Amino acid sequence: MDKYLGENPYINSLKYISLFGVIIILLAFFIAGMTYRWIARPLGGLMETVRAYSRGEYQELGRDLRFTEFFMVDRLIRNMAKTIQAQVADLAVTNSELNAAYLEKEQANLQLVNFNDQLELKVEEKTLALSRSLLREENRRSMLQSLLSFSHDIQSGDIIETVMTQLVALYPMAGWAMKSYADNNEWACENIDKSRLEEQVIQPENHYSDYYCLPSDGKYLHCFKIKNSQNDIVGIIVMQYMQLEHDDLEVISLFIRQLSTELEGRLLNRELARIAVTDSLTGLANRKAFDNDLEGHIQLFNRYPSRNFGLFMLDVNGLKRANDSYGHSMGDTLLIETSKLLVETCRLTDTVYRLGGDEFAIILEAGDRDSCSILWRRLEKVRDQINYACLPNGKQVEIHFAVGYASTDQYPADQVCLVADKAMYKDKRRFYEKTGIER
């Protein structure tokens, strides 16, 4: 069988073919290995370099790339890496600059916001200040108009009531108080504690300035002196309010000056009116006052017949003799002392008048027959006590007077003066006849 096989030419051919195939396979493996060594490995190294560069790893790797093209590609990639690295550095610088610019922009925006806030605040403050200024101007205009009307009202109305009404109208939220030394010297108050005003620290005599301010329950007591042209204090106004603005002080000061002028004028008119109806020697009401009051009582009685009044006529005895013996000083003293006795003897509702010379009169309100009798008995008692008018040098004269009276419940109102006068002269003649003194 072996022999047969060894001698078969087909088998020999198969051997050669198998041997040739093995050689071919080995050669293929060899070529593949060389190809991998010379092509695949350098290409893998190149790919590894690219991957490293893509990851940002730019270290110089000592790889043997074998082929010139690979070296060219490697240099190209390295140059690209340097370019990219430079661009990345430039981008970092640019990014830093952009960040700095962004920060500057944020700061600028913040400053702009702050500026807008400050601008809005300034605009709001200016608007508020302008509103307040307009409000002050409106108040000032209103106050000046009120002062013009006040100048008219105060001339005819009650001064305290007029002033308080005007003050409350000017500052309705404030408390007000006023005292006029020319009137009843009592406080008129509106929204202010009167007990606080009685404290010594409030009194104007304790302060030199015409305006002074005192703290009071979270507010202030603004005190304004009212002075006349002789710089004498004639009153005081107190305002309980918050801190005053300059415009408020100006308006109130103008009001005070106007008020002081009106007060002084009213006091002057009052004094002139008082002088016109007052006897300069005794201080009693004079003949003009007597005529006015008598006419008023007569008219009142005619309207209300139950409102009786009484009238006393008196005459000082011995006035001419006192003047002739001791001079007119004694006569004046005699009249003055007589007037004092008459005032002390009468009721508070009765009015004593000096008609002129040695003549006096007394009008009794609610003076019926009984009231007149009571006063006549009291006057008789004064005459019986024997009073004297004395001069500083010791000279003295006895005070004596004649009396006559009448009442409207006995006589018509228009005749009581005549009846009382006749009774007085009758009493006077009786005195001179009794004493034998010459008139």
Side-chain angles (χ1 to χ4, degrees), residues 7 27 72 124 176 191 267-268 377:
E7 291 178 355
L27 184 61
M72 292 175 63
E124 185 177 354
W176 289 99
N191 298 328
L267 288 175
L268 179 59
R377 287 194 295 270

Side-chain angles (χ1 to χ4, degrees), residues 3 73 77 104 140 145 185 187 202 207 237 248 251 287 295 297 309 323 354 362 374 381 417 419 434 436:
K3 182 179 178 182
V73 172
I77 291 175
E104 292 180 357
R140 189 182 182 91
Q145 292 175 351
N185 201 26
W187 284 104
I202 300 291
H207 300 271
I237 287 180
D248 297 323
V251 171
R287 183 59 181 259
E295 181 63 25
H297 280 82
F309 69 92
N323 285 332
R354 183 193 173 201
I362 304 173
I374 292 172
K381 185 177 180 180
C417 185
V419 172
K434 180 180 179 180

Side-chain angles (χ1 to χ4, degrees), residues 345-362:
T345 306
C346 293
R347 302 173 301 181
L348 294 178
T349 56
D350 302 335
T351 307
V352 183
Y353 305 85
R354 183 193 173 201
L355 305 183
D358 56 1
E359 297 181 6
F360 292 83
I362 304 173

Side-chain angles (χ1 to χ4, degrees), residues 213-272:
C213 182
L214 304 171
S216 176
D217 299 331
K219 294 184 178 180
Y220 298 91
L221 290 179
H222 304 276
C223 305
F224 301 87
K225 295 180 183 178
I226 306 173
K227 291 186 172 183
N228 59 16
S229 57
Q230 286 75 39
N231 210 34
D232 298 324
I233 300 175
V234 295
I236 179 175
I237 287 180
V238 178
M239 176 187 189
Q240 187 175 28
Y241 197 55
M242 62 186 68
Q243 195 73 29
L244 289 178
E245 300 289 342
H246 180 70
D247 292 344
D248 297 323
L249 286 174
E250 283 187 350
V251 171
I252 297 176
S253 298
L254 178 62
F255 180 87
I256 297 296
R257 287 196 296 271
Q258 187 177 11
L259 174 60
S260 61
T261 301
E262 180 59 32
L263 270 178
E264 185 172 12
R266 180 168 290 199
L267 288 175
L268 179 59
N269 292 335
R270 185 180 299 175
E271 181 64 17
L272 292 176

Side-chain angles (χ1 to χ4, degrees), residues 162-175:
T162 303
V163 170
M164 292 299 294
T165 302
Q166 187 65 42
L167 291 174
V168 173
L170 288 175
Y171 292 90
M173 301 303 294

